[in-house]
Amino acid sequence: MVSVLLVAAVVGIALGVFLQKGRFCFVNAFRDFFAYKDSRVTKGVLAATLLTMVFWGIAYQFGYYQEFWTPEWGLTGFIGGFIFGIGMTYAGGCASGTLYRAGEGYLQFWLTLLFMGVGYVAFALAFPTLDSTYFETFTFGEGVSLFTVSEIPASVLALSIAIGGLLIYVTLVGRSATTADLSERSDTAQLNLTAFLAPVAGLRQFVRGTETYFRGLVGAWRDPLASSKQPWDPRTAALGITAAAVLWFTQASIVGVTGPEARWSGYLLSQVGVDVESYEYWGSVLFQGEGVDVTVDMVMIAFVIVGAFLAAAWSGDFSVRVPKRRRLPNAVFGGLLMGAGSRLAPGCNIGNIYSGIASLSVHSFIAALGIIAGVYVMTHWIYREVGCAL
Amino acid sequence: MPSIDDVTDTPDELSDDQAEDLLEDADLVQDMMGEVCPYPQVEAKKGLQQIDSGDLLVQETDHVPCTENVPRAVGDDADATVWRSGDATYRIYLRKR
C-alpha cells in the first residue's frame, strides 16, 4: 500500500509539473485551434494521446497493466461530453487544467472545483432516475476496448494507428505547404504529382520540426536551472505526461480526473456525517461496495495540485489570484456543467480524450467527439464579436 | 547555440526599463488582472479594432498562458512583446501594424 501511495505521489506531482510548465490544457488545445488556428497545444495533446496509446498497447500485450477505461457505449458519451465541453470552455479550464490552475493560485478555479463538486452531488442524488431514463435510453452496447477484441497484437495495432495518424497529419501539413505552388501552376499532371508528394513534403517538415525540437531540448540542458524556469513546449509536457501515465497504467490504473473527484465529493460529505454509502451512485458505482474511503487515484489527483504549485512557485508563476466579479458565473456554471457532464458521459477530457482513446475504448471515441463539439459551439459563442477562424 | 526559446515560440521579452518606458507611451491599457483565457484574447482583438496603426495596446495580466495565447490570437494584426515581472504578473505589448 505504501509503495502504491508513493507511486501516486510521484505520478501526481509529475503530471502537475508537466501540465503547468507546458500550459497543457485541453480547452486551449481545441478552443484556440477553432478560434485562430493555433495548433501548438493541439499537437501536444495528439502526441501525448498517441504515444500513450503505443506504450499502453505494449504494456497490455505483455500483461503489465491494471485496467482500461471502457464504459458502456452509446449516445451518453456524446450528450455528456457535449455538456462537459460547453462547461470547460466557459470555465476556461478542462478537468486537468482546473487542477493545475488551482495549484497556481487561481481562486477562480478553486471555485470551479467546488461547483464541479456540486455537479457530482446533484448527479449522485438524481442517479436512480437517470439510470432508468437517460442511461437505459441512450446506451447501445457493452463497453469494449479494441485492444481486447482485435486479433492483431496490441502493440502492432497501437503502432499502426499512431503511424496512420502521423501520415494523415503530415499529409495535411504537406498539402497546406504545397497549395501555394499549386495556385501558380494549372496543369493537372502537376496537380496529381503534388497530391503524391504532399505526405513526403509533410513528413520532411515533421522530421525537421522534431529535429529542431530535440536540438532545442539538448540546448536547454546546457543551462538546466534557467531553462526549468522558462515556459516549456507542449511537446515536452506530452513526453513527461506519457511517462507518468505509463507508470500509473502498469502500477494502478488509467489516468482519470473527474472519477476520483466525484469520489472526493462523496468522501468529504461522509466526513461531515452524510451516509454517502447508502446512495447507489457512490456506494456501488464509485466506491464499488468497498466502503467510502480515500483511494489511491484520489491521492494521485490531489498531488497534481501539489506538483503544479511546486512548478509555478519555482518559475515565479505562483500567486493568489482573485477573479474579477464578472467571472464568477464562469466558475459557477462552467463548474456545474463540467461536474454533471462528466458524470453523464461518463468521463472528462482526460478520461475520454486522453486515457479513453489511448485505451482504444469505443465509448471514448464518441465522448471525445461530443467534448470537441461542445468546445466548438462555445468558442463561437465567446468569440461572437470578433469571429472565429474555423 | 540553440536555446529553449527556439522551440517554445514565445514573443520576445522586454527588460524592466523598456517595459516601463513603453507603458508610458501606451495608447490603450487593458487591465486583465484576474481574467483568464479566452477573455484577454477577445479583449485584445477588440482593443486593436479601436486604435490606429502604429499605436500601442498594453494588457496587464496575471494569467501565464495569456503571454503566449494573446499574441497568437491577434496574429498578424500586431507585433507582440511581453514583460515578465518574475513575480506572477505580466504585460503584453501589442503594436498595431
Side-chain angles (χ1 to χ4, degrees):
Chain A
M1 188 61 192
V2 175
S3 67
V4 183
L5 283 180
L6 191 67
V7 174
V10 169
V11 169
I13 288 176
L15 287 176
V17 167
F18 283 106
L19 289 169
Q20 199 275 332
K21 293 301 299 183
R23 296 157 317 292
F24 199 87
C25 175
F26 286 65
V27 176
N28 189 337
F30 298 111
R31 176 197 64 210
D32 292 354
F33 181 67
F34 294 140
Y36 49 94
K37 287 191 177 173
D38 178 4
S39 62
R40 290 166 309 144
V41 186
T42 327
K43 283 178 204 158
V45 166
L46 287 176
T49 307
L50 289 178
L51 274 175
T52 303
M53 179 186 71
V54 169
F55 285 112
W56 283 10
I58 295 169
Y60 168 72
Q61 187 179 332
F62 294 102
Y64 294 106
Y65 85 111
Q66 305 298 326
E67 59 179 343
F68 282 129
W69 172 247
T70 53
E72 295 173 328
W73 67 272
L75 268 183
T76 51
F78 191 85
I79 298 168
F82 186 79
I83 295 172
F84 182 83
I86 295 268
M88 76 174 190
T89 315
Y90 190 54
C94 55
S96 44
T98 300
L99 285 182
Y100 89 71
R101 290 190 178 105
E104 284 177 318
Y106 287 92
L107 296 183
Q108 177 173 344
F109 287 99
W110 284 100
L111 194 65
T112 307
L113 274 178
L114 177 70
F115 276 89
M116 285 171 80
V118 175
Y120 301 139
V121 174
F123 178 86
L125 296 180
F127 182 70
T129 320
L130 286 169
D131 199 22
S132 59
T133 52
Y134 174 80
F135 284 103
E136 252 177 44
T137 317
F138 295 116
T139 300
F140 303 143
E142 282 296 307
V144 64
S145 157
L146 298 184
F147 279 132
T148 58
V149 292
S150 161
E151 302 273 305
I152 309 165
S155 58
V156 179
L157 180 65
L159 264 179
S160 335
I161 295 173
I163 292 170
L166 178 66
L167 279 179
I168 295 172
Y169 170 73
V170 296
T171 307
L172 292 175
V173 171
R175 192 166 293 170
S176 64
T178 44
T179 36
D181 306 338
L182 266 183
S183 54
E184 291 163 15
R185 299 164 182 167
S186 55
D187 55 309
T188 43
Q190 192 69 39
L191 251 168
N192 287 336
L193 190 64
T194 329
F196 261 120
L197 288 179
V200 181
L203 199 59
R204 238 185 248 154
Q205 204 166 324
F206 175 79
V207 170
R208 262 203 310 274
T210 312
E211 257 177 62
T212 315
Y213 167 68
F214 279 105
R215 264 206 304 277
L217 214 53
V218 172
W221 270 108
R222 293 196 187 129
D223 193 353
L225 220 58
S227 301
S228 67
K229 294 186 179 186
Q230 289 292 311
W232 295 353
D233 191 288
R235 286 172 290 187
T236 308
L239 292 176
I241 289 166
T242 302
V246 171
L247 176 61
W248 192 241
F249 185 66
T250 60
Q251 300 299 318
S253 173
I254 56 118
V255 180
V257 172
T258 47
E261 279 178 0
R263 276 195 276 277
W264 268 117
S265 71
Y267 174 77
L268 292 176
L269 283 180
S270 78
Q271 293 302 299
V272 293
V274 180
D275 182 15
V276 167
E277 210 162 355
S278 65
Y279 290 91
E280 187 188 352
Y281 187 66
W282 276 307
S284 55
V285 179
L286 283 179
F287 289 101
Q288 298 176 338
E290 289 168 10
V292 177
D293 207 347
V294 177
T295 55
V296 281
D297 51 357
M298 288 162 67
V299 175
M300 193 276 274
I301 63 157
F303 272 105
V304 173
I305 301 181
V306 176
F309 164 74
L310 293 174
W314 175 250
S315 318
D317 289 336
F318 179 83
S319 115
V320 176
R321 293 153 162 106
V322 184
K324 287 210 163 42
R325 190 182 261 167
R326 64 169 183 269
R327 285 299 153 240
L328 297 183
N330 296 65
V332 172
F333 295 109
L336 277 174
L337 291 176
M338 284 164 84
S342 74
R343 296 303 89 209
L344 290 168
C348 58
N349 58 298
I350 290 291
N352 283 323
I353 297 181
Y354 178 63
S355 294
I357 290 181
S359 306
L360 293 188
S361 165
V362 172
H363 158 78
S364 292
F365 291 117
I366 302 169
L369 282 180
I371 295 173
I372 293 168
V375 178
Y376 184 81
V377 169
M378 199 62 192
T379 304
H380 274 265
W381 186 75
I382 290 176
Y383 267 71
R384 62 197 177 282
E385 290 167 71
V386 288
C388 285
L390 294 182
Chain B
M1 194 196 343
S3 81
I4 190 83
D5 297 332
D6 297 341
V7 286
T8 49
D9 199 18
T10 47
D12 289 340
E13 286 195 32
L14 297 168
S15 70
D16 293 356
D17 290 341
Q18 286 172 311
E20 279 307 315
D21 291 347
L22 274 173
L23 185 63
E24 284 170 20
D25 291 344
D27 298 282
L28 179 61
V29 179
Q30 293 178 327
D31 170 19
M32 287 291 133
M33 298 296 275
E35 292 277 22
V36 298
C37 288
Y39 296 99
Q41 306 169 7
V42 175
E43 291 305 318
K45 279 166 121 29
K46 279 198 222 163
L48 284 175
Q49 288 167 3
Q50 292 165 20
I51 61 175
D52 297 320
S53 184
D55 283 0
L56 182 68
L57 164 66
V58 179
Q59 280 196 343
E60 295 190 291
T61 175
D62 54 8
H63 188 52
V64 198
C66 280
T67 56
E68 291 178 36
N69 290 343
V70 170
R72 295 286 286 202
V74 300
D76 293 336
D77 294 344
D79 295 309
T81 44
V82 298
W83 172 71
R84 295 162 181 273
S85 68
D87 198 16
T89 53
Y90 317 89
R91 285 194 212 123
I92 302 158
Y93 296 77
L94 301 168
R95 174 84 63 186
K96 187 172 178 178
R97 284 191 188 167

